[in-house]
Amino acid sequence: MIKLEPEILQAVEKPARYTGHELNAVHKDWDEVDCHFALAMADTYEVGMSNLGLKILYEVLNNRQDTACERVYAPWTDMEAIMRDRSIPLFSLESFTEIKNFDFLGFTLQYEMIYSNILNMLDLAGIPIWTKDRNDEDTFIVGGGPTVYNTEPIADFFDFFILGEGEEVISEVAKTFVKWKREGKPGGRKGFLKEVAKLEGIYVPSFYNVKYNEKGYFSSIEPKEPEARDKIYKRVIRDLDSVHFVEKPVMPYIGIVHDRIMLELFRGCTRGCRFCQAGTSYRPIRERSREYLRELARKLVDSSGYNEMSLTSLSSADYSCLGELVDDLFADFEGEKVSFSLPSLRIDSFSIDLAHKMQQVRKSGLTFAPEAGTQRLRDVINKGVTEENLMTAVEAAFKQGWKQVKLYFMMGLPTETDEDIVGIARLAEKVARKYKEVKGKWGVTVTISVSCFVPKPHTPFQWFGQLPKDEFERRQRLLKDSITERAVKFHYHDARVSVLEGAISRGDRRISQVIYQAWKDGAKFDGWTDLFKEDVWHEAFRKCGIDMKEYSERTRDFDEPLPWEHTTPGVSKDFLKREWNKAVAEQLTEDCRRGKCSGCGVCPSLKVDIVDWKRKEGEVKANV
Amino acid sequence: MYKYRAQLTKGDEIRYISHLDYAGVMERAIRRAKLPAAYTEGFNPHLKMSFASPLSLGVTSDAEYMDFELTKPLCQPEIFDKLSAALPPGIRLIKLKPVKEPKPCEGKKHKALMAEVEQGIYEVVAPLIGDWDVAVKAVERYNAASEVNYHRVTPKKTRDIEVKQYMIEPVKIGMSGDWVKLTMNISITQTGSIKPAEILELLYNEYGLPVALGRALINRCKLMGQGKDLIDLV
Ligand code: SF4
């Protein structure tokens, strides 16, 4: 058991990040269970504790009698320095046990910029960084989460990955482990990996051979063990009412990023934005029932004491019974001073009315995501929103008393021209002027937040070459110079980070070496702008003899094998190609939630169906 | 409105949470307890609650005081049990009493909890590294000094504080195992006070108290006004 002396805790920022003992944390007797699972996020306590997926899996695993699940997050740099100095290994927050004593260490893979932190945590734990160096006694390193649809850049660090939704499969993994352990661990480490590889949705990277062609591009990946599948499909929950959701969240003593209840209404979003990886990877739409959500809301308020609840989903306003659900919740929590919020709004007046109802008096600010500055480009990305939609929505908002609007855009989308960039400024200015028109005076702030587009695997834009950093920066300046209205404020993302993300997210296994090198040379917390070390990363690519731009800026051929195609969310390549062609032709694709099936392939290949409570029976059937 | 005063602990488990975080934790505990709590008016309603003197980060306490209000009068045992059951690890409810508001004809209202605090008693323990006699001498010399200055550095300003004016009694020294145990009885005034950690620092730096400073632990044992525990002032 690790015990931190007071002088250590007095010396670090936010010591409660490391002291555990939170309400609802689960403490089990180490010797009473067969399977010890540490769930990790390679980011700070405040970020890790806010992750819904981890909260769910924590309860699912702890609901098993044979398993104890504990938490661990990345120590901040001040704490890390002390830990290294005094040889304190990474420990869990429940029993303060060394992480290397756990059977599993599972990382949620939220975005590529935490990869260096993963290596850092393995190192702090004293676990060999490379899979090949681990022996029978070592912890199994597991990954799951959003970036799992291209795990190749980190494949050599992980024993296996879980693709897709984890509620069911994580329990199957624990069960498989317990059985293997009770049988005397036949076949050792590899023996277990062979067993776990038989489960649907599990990818064991060391069971494959990767080949590259004469140009150095990825050419194939082939199973070398009988248990390894050619293609691994993600796991998907068919009926969300039937699986466990968070009921007793671990309650932090200190403020965390999302310090409120998160009630997940549904999974999936089929609006079909062509840049969006979440849009392709969480298909199809599956809603929880209104009754179940009501029940969960009650349990969560009672077990947490929170007075704020966020109704989360990829596009919460699309929940078919949202109006009714909000009425239910208002009635259920009358007099309990619980406030509700929607994290994302649709650009229409239904959303504004609902936001108005939910926020009652306090009007903090509204956020919309038109994503592109001109109609042409919005059609390219299949963002089915018109300028008129936006104007109607903001008009309604201003009438209701909002004074702050935030607009999200992306820069560097396929086919983008300077006209589209200037279009962002024009659109924001129109919004600002709409306020004057409605209110007869100035007094609005329109903030435009512009990120740099990163093409992602398993999206229609997966072949597209990302812009070079200098070009992003030129467009950022162009946009800045195009804004003439004082009411418009401009924020943009760090292009240096986006191009690195671009290289890693479409990387192959050779990128592992680069990540390792960068970590060795001091890269960590790369997602934190002030800690991001651009030089270290460029130097790491150079040292490994890898051209970063080959990965970020190169436009791939349609018939070129891609290093991520064997780990798939079920969306077919044909569909992605079709969508690319429609993008270039500026044609829209309908949302399959109520409209016709666009033949993405998910429903038939995963044997799953849309669950939308207001869709008429038999209206849509997946047709591929 | 019906006002209550609670005496709570801040245990080892939550030694390192700030005063503000402690308040947030108590707010959620009251909500979990399903007590008919009274809220402030406004867009962002908060529970009507107030605390006595804030504790420094790293200090535990057997004497945290919180006043809070309910919209209905519930009997003491009911509130006590409900609140106790809803507390997280590291917080225990020791005592709970209704605050009797003086009758309007008496003309005055109960003082704010914060303003009632006059005195705090702390126990500091630290491993002895050296001679017990040296430790006793160090404390004796500190107690005998007529004036002791502490140089307080905060991000905003630095200033010298005369410490002895806040010592209600001399520091007492005792032993438990290999640990030195110091008892400090400190006056807390509207214009200032001295922290037990600061006295310890002085004892170590200037009087040569032979202890492992980095392993010292501080506990607030009592918080008093008019010579009584705050819970007995209601
Ligand atoms: S298969 Fe059809 S219905 Fe199912 S998610 Fe894809 S497009 Fe929608």
Side-chain angles (χ1 to χ4, degrees):
Chain A
M1 197 174 111
I2 305 293
K3 179 125 180 57
L4 299 171
E5 292 294 342
E7 65 182 327
I8 297 178
L9 291 163
Q10 293 283 7
V12 297
E13 202 183 295
K14 305 194 187 170
R17 286 167 168 169
Y18 314 106
T19 54
H21 289 112
E22 301 92 336
L23 181 78
N24 297 337
V26 180
H27 299 267
K28 292 193 185 180
D29 191 333
W30 188 269
D31 299 323
E32 298 273 287
V33 295
D34 280 317
C35 173
H36 306 95
F37 210 119
L39 275 182
M41 162 95 97
D43 207 322
T44 62
Y45 176 88
E46 297 92 305
V47 177
M49 283 287 287
S50 302
N51 184 268
L52 184 60
L54 287 181
K55 287 176 204 272
I56 297 175
L57 297 182
Y58 182 81
E59 291 192 15
V60 168
L61 284 169
N62 275 320
N63 282 349
R64 288 185 67 89
Q65 286 235 301
D66 55 11
T67 303
C69 176
E70 306 196 4
R71 297 159 298 140
V72 58
Y73 308 108
W76 189 242
T77 51
D78 55 355
M79 185 58 153
E80 184 198 335
I82 295 176
M83 289 169 73
R84 290 195 181 278
D85 190 41
R86 302 191 179 209
S87 307
I88 300 170
L90 194 68
F91 56 88
S92 67
L93 289 176
E94 278 75 7
S95 63
F96 300 94
T97 304
E98 275 192 53
I99 292 303
K100 72 163 189 263
N101 293 345
F102 281 82
D103 301 307
F104 296 95
L105 172 58
F107 285 97
T108 174
L109 306 169
Q110 290 295 312
Y111 53 104
E112 290 79 4
M113 293 300 104
I114 55 170
Y115 290 169
S116 57
N117 269 18
I118 293 178
L119 304 201
N120 208 34
M121 284 176 76
L122 292 177
D123 186 55
L124 279 168
I127 297 170
I129 306 259
W130 300 94
T131 318
K132 61 176 169 43
D133 298 332
R134 291 182 202 132
N135 61 35
D136 281 356
E137 299 313 307
D138 285 317
T139 307
F140 289 104
I141 308 303
V142 195
T147 76
V148 85
Y149 298 109
N150 180 18
T151 55
E152 292 309 288
I154 47 171
D156 290 338
F157 309 124
F158 281 80
D159 291 293
F160 63 97
F161 293 99
I162 295 178
L163 268 68
E165 294 162 345
E167 287 97 333
E168 293 170 338
V169 61
I170 200 138
S171 196
E172 293 163 22
V173 168
K175 194 171 155 198
T176 306
F177 175 81
V178 171
K179 180 165 174 281
W180 171 77
K181 187 178 171 184
R182 287 184 184 156
E183 284 167 2
K185 304 192 175 181
R189 188 174 193 83
K190 192 167 174 190
F192 172 71
L193 292 175
K194 278 170 169 280
E195 284 308 308
V196 87
K198 291 181 195 159
L199 301 174
E200 301 275 344
I202 300 290
Y203 171 47
V204 181
S206 60
F207 286 0
Y208 295 79
N209 275 322
V210 186
K211 294 208 180 94
Y212 304 91
N213 65 18
E214 62 291 348
K215 276 200 257 167
Y217 300 155
F218 167 89
S219 65
S220 70
I221 182 161
E222 278 147 24
K224 56 179 180 186
E225 300 290 337
E227 292 80 5
R229 277 174 252 260
D230 291 337
K231 204 170 195 167
I232 298 107
Y233 286 95
K234 74 167 179 189
R235 290 293 293 261
V236 62
I237 306 293
R238 289 181 179 81
D239 172 10
L240 282 178
D241 278 7
S242 72
V243 290
H244 185 82
F245 188 70
V246 186
E247 291 181 1
K248 291 176 81 180
V250 177
M251 294 298 294
Y253 287 112
I254 56 173
I256 58 170
V257 178
H258 297 294
D259 213 355
R260 58 189 72 87
I261 293 168
M262 284 183 272
L263 187 69
E264 186 194 40
L265 308 183
F266 62 91
R267 291 196 189 149
C269 169
T270 42
R271 298 191 148 247
C273 298
R274 292 176 179 131
F275 56 83
C276 181
Q277 197 183 29
T280 47
S281 49
Y282 294 101
R283 285 170 178 239
I285 299 282
R286 285 142 303 137
E287 296 187 336
R288 287 200 163 85
S289 69
R290 190 175 142 193
E291 296 73 29
Y292 186 44
L293 288 168
R294 232 174 136 168
E295 204 182 292
L296 285 172
R298 174 41 78 199
K299 281 187 184 158
L300 282 160
V301 168
D302 291 354
S303 67
S304 71
Y306 273 131
N307 60 352
E308 246 185 282
M309 188 185 296
S310 172
L311 308 181
T312 65
S313 294
L314 286 169
S315 161
S316 298
D318 287 346
Y319 182 61
S320 64
C321 320
L322 189 57
E324 296 92 325
L325 176 69
V326 169
D327 287 340
D328 290 345
L329 294 176
F330 269 53
D332 291 351
F333 295 98
E334 220 209 313
E336 291 183 51
K337 301 276 192 293
V338 180
S339 69
F340 300 90
S341 60
L342 287 172
S344 57
L345 285 184
R346 226 163 49 188
I347 303 182
D348 59 21
S349 45
F350 166 75
S351 295
I352 303 296
D353 289 345
L354 205 66
H356 172 65
K357 183 168 166 189
M358 290 167 97
Q359 296 209 348
Q360 300 297 347
V361 198
R362 193 165 44 124
K363 298 263 188 297
S364 41
L366 281 184
T367 303
F368 296 111
E371 310 287 6
T374 59
Q375 195 58 49
R376 185 199 68 79
L377 193 52
R378 283 193 295 274
D379 290 348
V380 168
I381 61 175
N382 200 41
K383 187 87 200 179
V385 164
T386 63
E387 187 173 312
E388 199 190 327
N389 296 148
L390 181 64
M391 289 306 147
T392 318
V394 294
E395 182 172 355
F398 295 149
K399 282 189 179 146
Q400 302 274 27
W402 269 282
K403 285 183 178 167
Q404 282 175 41
V405 178
K406 198 169 185 183
L407 302 174
Y408 279 116
F409 294 96
M410 240 178 269
M411 174 177 281
L413 290 160
T415 79
E416 182 180 270
T417 63
D418 284 0
E419 202 179 310
D420 300 306
I421 298 289
V422 177
I424 296 176
R426 295 293 89 85
L427 193 62
E429 288 169 356
K430 274 186 196 156
V431 170
R433 282 199 289 274
K434 184 55 120 189
Y435 184 86
K436 175 121 194 284
E437 192 188 306
V438 173
K439 294 284 190 178
K441 58 173 191 220
W442 289 105
V444 69
T445 316
V446 179
T447 307
I448 49 180
S449 177
V450 185
S451 61
C452 302
F453 173 60
V454 179
K456 292 281 163 111
H458 301 286
T459 66
F461 293 166
Q462 65 175 354
W463 295 278
F464 176 73
Q466 193 189 19
L467 291 189
K469 184 186 77 173
D470 296 344
E471 179 57 18
F472 274 124
E473 287 169 352
R474 185 192 69 83
R475 292 187 195 187
Q476 287 170 343
R477 284 191 301 275
L478 170 67
L479 176 51
K480 197 162 179 219
D481 295 340
S482 311
I483 299 167
T484 51
E485 207 70 81
R486 272 201 324 204
V488 178
K489 302 269 176 288
F490 175 36
H491 282 295
Y492 53 90
H493 282 204
D494 190 339
R496 298 173 313 154
V497 179
S498 304
V499 294
L500 177 61
E501 195 185 326
I504 297 177
S505 62
R506 287 187 297 170
D508 53 38
R509 272 193 201 190
R510 288 170 303 183
I511 294 290
S512 299
Q513 197 60 47
V514 179
I515 296 172
Y516 179 78
Q517 188 64 49
W519 165 72
K520 269 272 169 203
D521 294 342
K524 66 180 87 153
F525 286 106
D526 295 303
W528 297 68
T529 315
D530 35 340
L531 295 185
F532 177 61
K533 299 188 182 117
E534 188 190 18
D535 312 347
V536 164
W537 279 99
H538 286 293
E539 198 48 29
F541 274 98
R542 205 192 51 76
K543 283 183 185 169
C544 299
I546 290 178
D547 180 3
M548 178 172 149
K549 292 173 180 242
E550 276 290 335
Y551 288 92
S552 59
E553 291 174 25
R554 186 171 70 88
T555 295
R556 278 73 165 168
D557 281 341
F558 277 136
D559 44 15
E560 177 180 335
L562 299 170
W564 51 84
E565 288 170 330
H566 59 293
T567 48
T568 170
V571 170
S572 74
K573 196 167 187 171
D574 284 345
F575 168 75
L576 297 177
K577 272 191 216 165
R578 260 194 333 265
E579 282 298 297
W580 168 267
N581 290 329
K582 285 175 87 176
V584 190
E586 297 164 20
Q587 288 169 7
L588 297 177
T589 298
E590 211 182 338
D591 185 347
C592 64
R593 182 184 198 121
R594 303 267 166 79
K596 84 175 203 305
C597 168
S598 31
C600 80
V602 169
C603 295
S605 51
L606 302 178
K607 298 185 185 55
V608 60
D609 205 1
I610 293 175
V611 181
D612 174 310
W613 304 108
K614 297 244 166 115
R615 189 178 69 147
K616 284 185 220 84
E617 260 329 292
E619 193 175 67
V620 199
K621 266 277 163 255
N623 57 9
V624 166
Chain B
M1 291 304 150
Y2 304 88
K3 197 169 180 177
Y4 297 85
R5 176 163 298 176
Q7 183 185 354
L8 303 152
T9 64
K10 183 180 180 190
D12 191 49
E13 299 90 332
I14 57 163
R15 198 182 265 286
Y16 296 100
I17 75 170
S18 71
H19 179 65
L20 204 70
D21 289 331
Y22 188 87
V25 168
M26 281 312 302
E27 174 152 1
R28 291 196 286 272
I30 292 176
R31 297 177 54 85
R32 284 192 299 270
K34 304 272 166 219
L35 295 170
Y39 284 83
T40 58
E41 302 289 320
F43 302 156
N44 199 359
H46 274 283
L47 277 176
K48 287 194 177 171
M49 59 203 291
S50 60
F51 289 85
S53 174
L55 269 188
S56 309
L57 211 69
V59 179
T60 56
S61 173
D62 300 319
E64 289 310 279
Y65 288 96
M66 175 185 78
D67 284 356
F68 62 100
E69 290 178 35
L70 300 183
T71 55
K72 278 189 231 126
L74 298 184
C75 63
Q76 193 272 0
E78 184 180 354
I79 305 173
F80 191 94
D81 291 349
K82 283 189 171 164
L83 187 54
S84 292
L87 291 173
I91 304 183
R92 262 182 321 113
L93 177 59
I94 300 177
K95 284 182 180 164
L96 178 89
K97 284 187 176 177
V99 177
K100 289 188 256 3
E101 284 294 346
K103 294 199 185 69
C105 61
E106 288 171 20
K108 53 172 190 195
K109 279 195 82 174
H110 230 290
K111 267 209 238 171
L113 180 52
M114 188 93 92
E116 287 186 319
V117 181
E118 291 170 356
Q119 182 182 358
I121 298 180
Y122 296 85
E123 202 171 88
V124 181
V125 293
L128 178 67
I129 41 161
D131 273 353
W132 166 248
D133 290 348
V134 178
V136 174
K137 288 259 159 53
V139 172
E140 273 172 6
R141 279 195 295 126
Y142 170 84
N143 285 336
S146 56
E147 209 185 285
V148 176
N149 280 306
Y150 179 78
H151 189 62
R152 186 181 283 166
V153 185
T154 64
K156 284 191 202 107
K157 59 179 178 193
T158 57
R159 63 191 177 110
D160 282 316
I161 297 160
E162 201 291 297
V163 175
K164 296 305 287 269
Q165 61 173 318
Y166 299 118
M167 301 304 296
I168 295 178
E169 281 177 357
V171 174
K172 288 198 209 66
I173 179 165
M175 273 298 267
S176 78
D178 295 335
W179 291 60
V180 171
K181 192 170 89 183
L182 304 170
T183 310
M184 301 175 184
N185 190 339
I186 299 169
S187 115
I188 299 167
T189 74
Q190 297 294 326
T191 51
S193 183
I194 187 83
K195 293 175 184 164
E198 294 170 337
I199 299 176
L200 180 67
E201 205 185 310
L202 281 169
L203 282 165
Y204 178 84
N205 284 332
E206 290 177 25
Y207 293 86
L209 183 74
V211 293
L213 196 65
R215 292 169 65 198
L217 297 172
I218 302 173
N219 182 56
R220 175 191 275 167
C221 309
K222 279 172 176 288
L223 208 53
M224 305 162 77
Q226 302 165 44
K228 292 193 220 164
D229 286 338
L230 295 186
I231 194 78
D232 296 322
L233 286 180
V234 293

